Amino acid sequence: LARLARLASSPLVSWLALLSSTCRTIPMAPIIAALCLSFVLPLPLDTARHARGATPAPALMEAAATTYRLNNYLLPAPLTPRNNMVLVKLRKSEEGETSRGLVLAASQRKIRDGEVAAAGPGLTHPESGQLLPTGVGAGDHVLCEEIVMEGEAIDYLGEKHRMLPDSRVVATLEGGVMSAATFKPSGERLLVRLPKAVEETASGIALAGLGDSGELPSQGEVVAVGPGQLNARGEHNPMPVAPGEFVVFGRYAGSELDFEDGFKYKVVFARECLAKW
């Protein structure tokens, strides 16, 4: 009441009353009442906050700025792989050659390198009920196999991605560097260095190198091994071979790799090895 009394005696109200008396044709009472109420009633919280120059919360600004787009469809939230599926952002590369110098054999151009954008928690073993965790996580740089009948090529956030099971991840590359030293095979895979020509091992056994026919040798030295295949308990089975040993495998087994270090390599499964020494 005191505030209304002060407003009634203010120069603004006196001026409006004078204006009303001179302009009889315009009803000024509703205008005066509205102005008085605007001074008496408090501003809404959001209006008052923005009137003071406050900015929206950072979380709201980030949510408004982020757009999740999948194959030209807008998503309300990020894409989340299920089970043992892995979402890999593929690197752009020239025909038959990946970035950072890793050259793939012509017959193996379906092997691609990229970065894991997201990964599912893993598969539950049907008998033991044990969770078999996915072997890679977001941020890992990987080599993966593109199988037409397995997985899906998608456009996500404006980039080419591949959704595939973790069994198709060939290896991780430590630090994203392409070299035999940083190559970490997945599961029960091995990285085998093939001999360049006829050479002898430390025990005196001769290894046949690349012959006149152009076929790669089916034996070589194991450079790196994976952690082993997961069993029903969620543990890795021990690998039957170790780095430094030599193995013989089927002629058509594995995938050929070339790190441009003067050697040819093959990635093979331990179960594809016929013998070792």
Side-chain angles (χ1 to χ4, degrees):
L1 292 176
R3 190 173 181 183
L4 284 173
R6 289 196 300 270
L7 286 172
S9 61
S10 66
L12 176 60
V13 175
S14 300
W15 181 84
L16 290 173
L18 178 62
L19 182 62
S20 177
S21 64
T22 57
C23 301
R24 297 294 182 181
T25 59
I26 303 176
M28 297 299 295
I31 300 177
I32 296 174
L35 288 173
C36 292
L37 288 175
S38 68
F39 280 100
V40 175
L41 297 178
L43 291 172
L45 180 59
D46 289 343
T47 305
R49 183 162 56 90
H50 288 295
R52 293 194 301 267
T55 57
L60 297 177
M61 295 178 63
E62 182 178 355
T66 304
T67 301
Y68 303 103
R69 187 180 295 272
L70 171 65
N71 295 336
N72 293 326
Y73 290 93
L74 292 179
L75 306 181
L79 196 62
T80 303
R82 297 183 64 249
N83 299 327
N84 67 330
M85 301 303 292
V86 179
L87 180 63
V88 179
K89 177 183 176 182
L90 301 174
R91 283 189 180 274
K92 298 177 181 179
S93 60
E94 299 297 331
E95 180 68 17
E97 181 177 348
T98 68
S99 58
R100 302 195 187 183
L102 177 59
V103 180
L104 305 178
S107 61
Q108 301 297 335
R109 284 179 180 166
K110 289 298 182 181
I111 295 182
R112 298 289 301 275
D113 67 312
E115 183 177 346
V116 176
L123 278 177
T124 301
H125 195 276
E127 297 179 2
S128 66
Q130 180 70 37
L131 178 67
L132 308 182
T134 304
V136 294
D140 288 343
H141 194 85
V142 297
L143 287 177
C144 57
E145 295 176 325
E146 287 189 292
I147 307 297
V148 177
M149 300 299 294
E150 199 168 5
E152 183 69 20
I154 61 175
D155 190 284
Y156 181 58
L157 302 179
E159 299 283 352
K160 298 296 182 184
H161 288 68
R162 185 82 184 182
M163 185 76 75
L164 42 80
D166 66 344
S167 59
R168 293 303 176 187
V169 175
V170 176
T172 58
L173 297 168
E174 195 173 36
V177 178
M178 303 285 192
S179 70
T182 60
F183 190 94
K184 307 299 180 186
S186 301
E188 59 164 341
R189 291 178 175 88
L190 316 171
L191 179 63
V192 181
R193 184 171 58 211
L194 309 179
K196 291 188 291 186
V198 176
E199 57 184 46
E200 288 188 358
T201 67
S203 59
I205 300 177
L207 296 178
L210 186 64
D212 296 335
S213 63
E215 293 183 354
L216 290 173
S218 56
Q219 69 277 331
E221 181 181 2
V222 177
V223 175
V225 301
Q229 188 173 14
L230 286 173
N231 56 33
R233 298 185 301 275
E235 302 171 351
H236 292 282
N237 292 327
M239 291 291 285
V241 293
E245 294 183 321
F246 291 82
V247 293
V248 178
F249 44 84
R251 177 170 298 179
Y252 301 106
S255 303
E256 178 193 344
L257 297 178
D258 187 352
F259 295 104
E260 295 187 322
D261 60 355
F263 290 92
K264 298 287 186 182
Y265 295 83
K266 265 197 171 184
V267 181
V268 299
F269 287 98
R271 62 177 178 269
E272 295 177 314
C273 296
L274 308 178
K276 70 171 186 176
W277 67 92

